[in-house]
Amino acid sequence: APESYGMASSETGVAAEAAAETTAAVNNSAALVEAAKAVGLTRLLFVRHASSMKMRQGAASRADAPHDWKFDDQMRCLTDKGWEQCEAASEWFNSLNVRAILSSPARRATDTAMGMQKQIETEGKQADVLYLRLVESAHPAGMSEVCEAAFETRGYGPLRSFHDTDEMKAAFSDYGEVVCGGMLAQLQGPGLSEASDGECVALFGHAVFLNAIALQVVLAAGAADTEVDKVLDMDLGETQGILIELSDGSITHMKVEGEAAEA
């Protein structure tokens, strides 16, 4: 496993996300697309974390102690299989011209970013390392009771399966907009907005919640109905990604060659 990795503070983003949570109706996704284009980005990428350990024995339950449960969930690390998945997926990830990495604060997401990038920071090698910035809302715990309850009872599956009621459709849409607000704050923050190299920013996160964020982005980018359907029906596997072209909202399912949709 990698030993170290460059990580920037997420304090600025946290404050901006807190404000975004209270104004979820604001079209953060449209602002994100425009801001990304303004700094020379042409793509956004959403990557699901690799295989991870289950919750520790004796961990708090979400119903009884949600704050403690969130902490325990964020501390879950990758399995040996997860690190192997990162090694395999690094080939497609490093073929992209990535400017910066954003991530859920969950350890399994940041570790996946470390493993897939394969550029480990050392004393003698710092210039080529992409710094990791945290987007707090990308970890869905505590963000939406409707979304969390639906995922807890239904488990993994495509986003369309969570759109069968107006309440759930609206909840996942609002969640996506909040995360877009967090990404926007990081994009406009020091360092990332000033960087000139790289045409893509990647966000590492969690299962169907990534599809919910990606859906808001493709809609804001003016995607055709066929592309919207792809996001709704894609069952994103571990270390697989949704690559979005900001020019037209078209998407590519990024994965290891020959890999099934669900890892």
Side-chain angles (χ1 to χ4, degrees):
E3 296 179 355
S4 62
Y5 196 78
M7 183 176 292
S9 170
S10 64
E11 292 179 1
T12 301
V14 173
E17 287 172 54
E21 287 179 41
T22 64
T23 57
V26 173
N27 199 355
N28 290 326
S29 55
L32 173 63
V33 170
E34 291 307 310
K37 290 179 179 178
V39 295
L41 294 173
T42 61
R43 295 167 157 180
L44 291 177
L45 172 69
F46 299 89
V47 186
R48 181 182 167 190
H49 66 76
S51 175
S52 60
M53 299 287 289
K54 297 183 182 299
M55 292 282 276
R56 67 176 179 83
Q57 187 174 7
S61 70
R62 190 176 75 85
D64 296 335
H67 177 77
D68 292 339
W69 178 88
K70 179 175 181 176
F71 177 79
D72 285 334
D73 184 66
Q74 288 188 347
M75 294 306 294
R76 291 163 54 197
C77 62
L78 297 186
T79 61
D80 289 343
K81 175 185 176 183
W83 286 112
E84 291 170 359
Q85 289 173 323
C86 291
E87 175 71 23
S90 66
E91 183 173 353
W92 71 255
F93 182 74
N94 286 291
S95 71
L96 302 175
N97 189 13
V98 177
R99 181 183 302 186
I101 292 174
L102 307 178
S103 177
S104 154
R107 181 178 174 182
R108 59 192 183 278
T110 57
D111 280 356
T112 300
M114 292 164 61
M116 285 178 62
Q117 190 199 353
K118 293 185 68 176
Q119 291 186 8
I120 309 308
E121 186 176 31
T122 65
E123 184 176 359
K125 181 184 177 183
Q126 293 182 330
D128 295 332
V129 173
L130 294 176
Y131 278 80
L132 177 65
R133 294 163 172 83
L134 301 183
V135 176
E136 297 291 333
S137 55
H139 184 249
M143 295 299 301
S144 168
E145 177 58 30
V146 173
C147 295
E148 285 189 80
F151 185 73
E152 193 170 67
T153 56
R154 300 184 181 203
Y156 297 96
L159 181 60
R160 192 184 296 276
S161 67
F162 293 88
H163 273 201
D164 55 352
T165 70
D166 290 341
E167 181 185 31
M168 284 201 295
K169 185 175 181 179
F172 276 95
S173 175
D174 286 347
Y175 169 77
E177 288 295 332
V178 170
V179 181
C180 284
M183 294 176 68
L184 176 63
Q186 293 294 351
L187 190 64
Q188 295 174 331
L192 196 155
S193 61
E194 299 169 1
S196 58
D197 295 334
E199 62 183 13
C200 178
V201 166
L203 173 72
F204 286 75
H206 307 271
V208 70
F209 295 95
L210 285 172
N211 295 65
I213 308 162
L215 178 62
Q216 300 309 116
V217 173
V218 299
L219 290 171
D225 289 346
T226 53
E227 303 305 298
V228 173
D229 285 340
K230 288 178 185 178
V231 177
L232 286 168
D233 294 327
M234 186 183 298
D235 195 358
L236 201 63
E238 292 163 344
T239 67
Q240 294 182 4
I242 305 171
L243 181 65
I244 302 174
E245 302 290 341
L246 297 179
S247 60
D248 60 4
S250 60
I251 71 164
T252 303
H253 187 176
M254 304 300 295
K255 59 183 179 177
V256 175
E257 187 175 354
E259 189 176 38
E262 184 178 358

